[in-house]
Amino acid sequence: MVRVYCVLLGYVFGMIQTSYFLGKAKGIDIRTKGSGNAGTTNTLRVLGPKAGLFVLACDILKTMIACFITKQVFVPQYPEMSYLLVMYTAAGAILGHNFPFYLKFKGGKGIAATAGLILSLPLSFIIVGNIAFFGTWLTTKFVSLGSLLVYVCFFIQLVIEGQLGMIQYKGVAMPNNYLYEMYVVCFCLAALAFFMHRKNIVRLLKGEERKTYLLHKNQQ
């Protein structure tokens, strides 16, 4: 049952649609502009760098806050499930971000929310995640490619560190049954990310994907 509580907690925070509310404050529905996505990249393209960075920060923060609450409320009761519960909470936040019920389940693609998950994990995940995303984006200018590579690296790193006994809570390695469950949850989140980016993947393969710049004018 604690897993359900974590998912629900994450969903409540995740469905705080920063880009939608910011767009409404400026008199537009962000979902009708640019790519139609209620996320950081589309906000950056439509409303500019400052708005994009604000949305990015808020969407990361909402997942981190939900994960922090989980660490304070649920983890002390279930220490052996520590990172698994954090993963379930983040999964709820990603689902809430992607499928907010009050917006007819039309939200973002969950990458900024995923960044909040990675930032709630040990430092090694933060380092690899940043290298994967920013290294790819700054080199290719394709946010979508960087986002997908983050998930690939995240899953591989999670399995490697888990099997090496490096995923620990207060010096105690997580039991294998919870580790394997965490792998499954991570794989499902990665599959969801690839599904949400399916049109981007097609454009990447065709060489038609739009590039995104932080300080230069972006095409809508």
Side-chain angles (χ1 to χ4, degrees):
M1 196 66 184
V2 67
R3 295 170 175 81
V4 176
Y5 293 149
C6 289
V7 171
L8 291 176
L9 171 65
Y11 187 86
V12 169
F13 277 89
M15 66 179 179
I16 301 173
Q17 286 293 321
T18 315
S19 61
Y20 174 78
F21 293 126
L22 183 61
K24 281 297 184 181
K26 295 180 178 294
I28 67 170
D29 185 343
I30 195 70
R31 301 172 302 160
T32 65
K33 303 293 182 179
S35 66
N37 181 254
T40 298
T41 303
N42 197 38
T43 302
L44 177 65
R45 290 171 177 161
V46 176
L47 299 178
K50 291 183 179 179
L53 290 174
F54 176 77
V55 169
L56 174 64
C58 290
D59 286 348
I60 290 174
L61 190 60
K62 66 187 181 185
T63 302
M64 292 184 69
I65 292 174
C67 290
F68 176 78
I69 293 174
T70 290
K71 290 178 180 179
Q72 300 304 309
V73 176
F74 298 119
V75 169
Q77 302 177 56
Y78 305 92
E80 72 282 1
M81 300 173 66
S82 56
Y83 292 113
L84 176 62
L85 296 183
V86 169
M87 187 79 74
Y88 272 113
T89 302
I94 292 167
L95 291 173
H97 179 78
N98 291 359
F99 311 109
F101 74 89
Y102 64 95
L103 294 179
K104 298 181 180 179
F105 303 99
K106 185 180 180 182
K109 296 181 180 178
I111 299 303
T114 299
L117 162 61
I118 293 175
L119 289 171
S120 299
L121 295 174
L123 181 61
S124 60
F125 289 94
I126 299 174
I127 293 173
V128 173
N130 274 285
I131 292 174
F133 178 75
F134 287 106
T136 303
W137 178 31
L138 295 176
T139 301
T140 68
K141 307 304 179 186
F142 295 134
V143 171
S144 56
L145 182 59
S147 301
L148 294 173
L149 285 180
V150 164
Y151 259 112
V152 173
C153 293
F154 181 31
F155 180 75
I156 293 173
Q157 183 181 5
L158 184 68
V159 173
I160 291 175
E161 292 201 12
Q163 294 306 111
L164 292 176
M166 298 170 62
I167 299 179
Q168 304 177 353
Y169 179 75
K170 293 186 177 180
V172 179
M174 181 178 288
N176 282 335
N177 57 320
Y178 294 136
L179 271 178
Y180 299 149
E181 187 176 350
M182 191 160 63
Y183 300 159
V184 172
V185 175
C186 183
F187 180 83
C188 290
L189 291 177
L192 175 62
F194 273 78
F195 175 77
M196 299 300 292
H197 285 82
R198 60 195 182 280
K199 293 181 181 179
N200 302 83
I201 294 172
V202 172
R203 288 196 296 267
L204 283 167
L205 292 174
K206 291 182 177 180
E208 300 173 354
E209 177 69 327
R210 288 168 291 187
K211 294 185 177 182
T212 302
Y213 302 89
L214 182 60
L215 299 177
H216 296 85
K217 181 70 174 179
N218 289 284
Q219 294 182 346
Q220 294 186 27

mmCIF file of all heavy atoms in Angstrom, residues 128-146:
data_model
loop_
_atom_site.group_PDB
_atom_site.id
_atom_site.type_symbol
_atom_site.label_atom_id
_atom_site.label_comp_id
_atom_site.label_asym_id
_atom_site.label_seq_id
_atom_site.Cartn_x
_atom_site.Cartn_y
_atom_site.Cartn_z
ATOM 1 N N VAL A 128 26.356 11.551 -13.854
ATOM 2 C CA VAL A 128 26.154 10.861 -15.133
ATOM 3 C C VAL A 128 24.981 11.463 -15.897
ATOM 4 O O VAL A 128 25.044 11.671 -17.116
ATOM 5 C CB VAL A 128 25.922 9.352 -14.903
ATOM 6 C CG1 VAL A 128 25.533 8.665 -16.214
ATOM 7 C CG2 VAL A 128 27.182 8.707 -14.333
ATOM 8 N N GLY A 129 23.894 11.773 -15.189
ATOM 9 C CA GLY A 129 22.726 12.355 -15.836
ATOM 10 C C GLY A 129 23.028 13.694 -16.480
ATOM 11 O O GLY A 129 22.602 13.966 -17.616
ATOM 12 N N ASN A 130 23.779 14.532 -15.791
ATOM 13 C CA ASN A 130 24.137 15.840 -16.331
ATOM 14 C C ASN A 130 25.054 15.719 -17.535
ATOM 15 O O ASN A 130 24.894 16.438 -18.527
ATOM 16 C CB ASN A 130 24.810 16.696 -15.250
ATOM 17 C CG ASN A 130 23.814 17.442 -14.395
ATOM 18 O OD1 ASN A 130 23.222 18.437 -14.819
ATOM 19 N ND2 ASN A 130 23.595 16.969 -13.183
ATOM 20 N N ILE A 131 26.000 14.797 -17.449
ATOM 21 C CA ILE A 131 26.903 14.595 -18.585
ATOM 22 C C ILE A 131 26.129 14.102 -19.808
ATOM 23 O O ILE A 131 26.334 14.584 -20.931
ATOM 24 C CB ILE A 131 28.021 13.593 -18.221
ATOM 25 C CG1 ILE A 131 28.965 14.209 -17.181
ATOM 26 C CG2 ILE A 131 28.802 13.181 -19.466
ATOM 27 C CD1 ILE A 131 30.017 13.247 -16.651
ATOM 28 N N ALA A 132 25.222 13.151 -19.575
ATOM 29 C CA ALA A 132 24.446 12.582 -20.684
ATOM 30 C C ALA A 132 23.582 13.640 -21.352
ATOM 31 O O ALA A 132 23.545 13.742 -22.590
ATOM 32 C CB ALA A 132 23.583 11.427 -20.174
ATOM 33 N N PHE A 133 22.880 14.431 -20.527
ATOM 34 C CA PHE A 133 21.957 15.406 -21.118
ATOM 35 C C PHE A 133 22.682 16.604 -21.718
ATOM 36 O O PHE A 133 22.538 16.899 -22.909
ATOM 37 C CB PHE A 133 20.945 15.893 -20.079
ATOM 38 C CG PHE A 133 20.006 16.932 -20.641
ATOM 39 C CD1 PHE A 133 18.978 16.564 -21.496
ATOM 40 C CD2 PHE A 133 20.174 18.281 -20.342
ATOM 41 C CE1 PHE A 133 18.130 17.517 -22.044
ATOM 42 C CE2 PHE A 133 19.332 19.235 -20.880
ATOM 43 C CZ PHE A 133 18.304 18.854 -21.725
ATOM 44 N N PHE A 134 23.457 17.301 -20.887
ATOM 45 C CA PHE A 134 24.074 18.533 -21.375
ATOM 46 C C PHE A 134 25.157 18.257 -22.417
ATOM 47 O O PHE A 134 25.329 19.051 -23.354
ATOM 48 C CB PHE A 134 24.644 19.331 -20.199
ATOM 49 C CG PHE A 134 23.588 19.980 -19.359
ATOM 50 C CD1 PHE A 134 23.272 19.463 -18.110
ATOM 51 C CD2 PHE A 134 22.877 21.072 -19.825
ATOM 52 C CE1 PHE A 134 22.273 20.050 -17.330
ATOM 53 C CE2 PHE A 134 21.879 21.663 -19.062
ATOM 54 C CZ PHE A 134 21.583 21.154 -17.806
ATOM 55 N N GLY A 135 25.856 17.141 -22.262
ATOM 56 C CA GLY A 135 26.847 16.786 -23.266
ATOM 57 C C GLY A 135 26.202 16.591 -24.632
ATOM 58 O O GLY A 135 26.708 17.066 -25.659
ATOM 59 N N THR A 136 25.060 15.901 -24.645
ATOM 60 C CA THR A 136 24.354 15.649 -25.903
ATOM 61 C C THR A 136 23.709 16.915 -26.442
ATOM 62 O O THR A 136 23.829 17.232 -27.635
ATOM 63 C CB THR A 136 23.271 14.576 -25.701
ATOM 64 O OG1 THR A 136 23.876 13.391 -25.183
ATOM 65 C CG2 THR A 136 22.566 14.260 -27.011
ATOM 66 N N TRP A 137 23.013 17.649 -25.574
ATOM 67 C CA TRP A 137 22.315 18.855 -26.024
ATOM 68 C C TRP A 137 23.285 19.913 -26.546
ATOM 69 O O TRP A 137 23.092 20.466 -27.634
ATOM 70 C CB TRP A 137 21.470 19.426 -24.886
ATOM 71 C CG TRP A 137 20.749 20.702 -25.251
ATOM 72 C CD1 TRP A 137 20.283 21.056 -26.485
ATOM 73 C CD2 TRP A 137 20.446 21.795 -24.381
ATOM 74 N NE1 TRP A 137 19.695 22.301 -26.439
ATOM 75 C CE2 TRP A 137 19.783 22.776 -25.165
ATOM 76 C CE3 TRP A 137 20.655 22.031 -23.029
ATOM 77 C CZ2 TRP A 137 19.332 23.981 -24.616
ATOM 78 C CZ3 TRP A 137 20.203 23.229 -22.488
ATOM 79 C CH2 TRP A 137 19.546 24.186 -23.273
ATOM 80 N N LEU A 138 24.335 20.193 -25.790
ATOM 81 C CA LEU A 138 25.272 21.239 -26.198
ATOM 82 C C LEU A 138 26.037 20.857 -27.456
ATOM 83 O O LEU A 138 26.471 21.723 -28.212
ATOM 84 C CB LEU A 138 26.243 21.536 -25.052
ATOM 85 C CG LEU A 138 25.607 22.143 -23.797
ATOM 86 C CD1 LEU A 138 26.640 22.311 -22.698
ATOM 87 C CD2 LEU A 138 24.932 23.473 -24.107
ATOM 88 N N THR A 139 26.185 19.552 -27.679
ATOM 89 C CA THR A 139 26.902 19.090 -28.868
ATOM 90 C C THR A 139 26.008 19.066 -30.101
ATOM 91 O O THR A 139 26.414 19.501 -31.191
ATOM 92 C CB THR A 139 27.476 17.680 -28.635
ATOM 93 O OG1 THR A 139 28.357 17.703 -27.514
ATOM 94 C CG2 THR A 139 28.230 17.199 -29.870
ATOM 95 N N THR A 140 24.781 18.563 -29.939
ATOM 96 C CA THR A 140 23.891 18.370 -31.090
ATOM 97 C C THR A 140 22.771 19.406 -31.180
ATOM 98 O O THR A 140 22.162 19.558 -32.234
ATOM 99 C CB THR A 140 23.239 16.985 -31.030
ATOM 100 O OG1 THR A 140 22.331 16.933 -29.910
ATOM 101 C CG2 THR A 140 24.286 15.893 -30.881
ATOM 102 N N LYS A 141 22.452 20.065 -30.059
ATOM 103 C CA LYS A 141 21.328 21.006 -29.940
ATOM 104 C C LYS A 141 19.971 20.296 -29.962
ATOM 105 O O LYS A 141 18.938 20.940 -30.062
ATOM 106 C CB LYS A 141 21.355 22.088 -31.046
ATOM 107 C CG LYS A 141 22.673 22.827 -31.142
ATOM 108 C CD LYS A 141 23.081 23.470 -29.828
ATOM 109 C CE LYS A 141 24.425 24.184 -29.958
ATOM 110 N NZ LYS A 141 24.914 24.703 -28.669
ATOM 111 N N PHE A 142 19.982 18.967 -29.850
ATOM 112 C CA PHE A 142 18.740 18.208 -29.819
ATOM 113 C C PHE A 142 18.389 17.861 -28.376
ATOM 114 O O PHE A 142 18.983 16.959 -27.780
ATOM 115 C CB PHE A 142 18.848 16.922 -30.648
ATOM 116 C CG PHE A 142 19.041 17.153 -32.123
ATOM 117 C CD1 PHE A 142 19.993 16.440 -32.827
ATOM 118 C CD2 PHE A 142 18.261 18.076 -32.812
ATOM 119 C CE1 PHE A 142 20.168 16.631 -34.190
ATOM 120 C CE2 PHE A 142 18.434 18.285 -34.173
ATOM 121 C CZ PHE A 142 19.391 17.562 -34.861
ATOM 122 N N VAL A 143 17.403 18.553 -27.810
ATOM 123 C CA VAL A 143 16.975 18.275 -26.445
ATOM 124 C C VAL A 143 16.408 16.868 -26.333
ATOM 125 O O VAL A 143 16.646 16.157 -25.357
ATOM 126 C CB VAL A 143 15.926 19.311 -25.985
ATOM 127 C CG1 VAL A 143 15.309 18.906 -24.650
ATOM 128 C CG2 VAL A 143 16.571 20.679 -25.854
ATOM 129 N N SER A 144 15.647 16.469 -27.346
ATOM 130 C CA SER A 144 15.006 15.155 -27.313
ATOM 131 C C SER A 144 16.035 14.033 -27.242
ATOM 132 O O SER A 144 15.878 13.077 -26.474
ATOM 133 C CB SER A 144 14.114 14.964 -28.553
ATOM 134 O OG SER A 144 14.876 15.149 -29.744
ATOM 135 N N LEU A 145 17.110 14.148 -28.008
ATOM 136 C CA LEU A 145 18.147 13.117 -28.002
ATOM 137 C C LEU A 145 18.831 13.063 -26.635
ATOM 138 O O LEU A 145 19.066 11.975 -26.089
ATOM 139 C CB LEU A 145 19.172 13.404 -29.094
ATOM 140 C CG LEU A 145 20.308 12.387 -29.248
ATOM 141 C CD1 LEU A 145 19.749 11.003 -29.550
ATOM 142 C CD2 LEU A 145 21.281 12.831 -30.350
ATOM 143 N N GLY A 146 19.123 14.223 -26.081
ATOM 144 C CA GLY A 146 19.727 14.258 -24.752
ATOM 145 C C GLY A 146 18.816 13.651 -23.702
ATOM 146 O O GLY A 146 19.269 12.921 -22.812
#
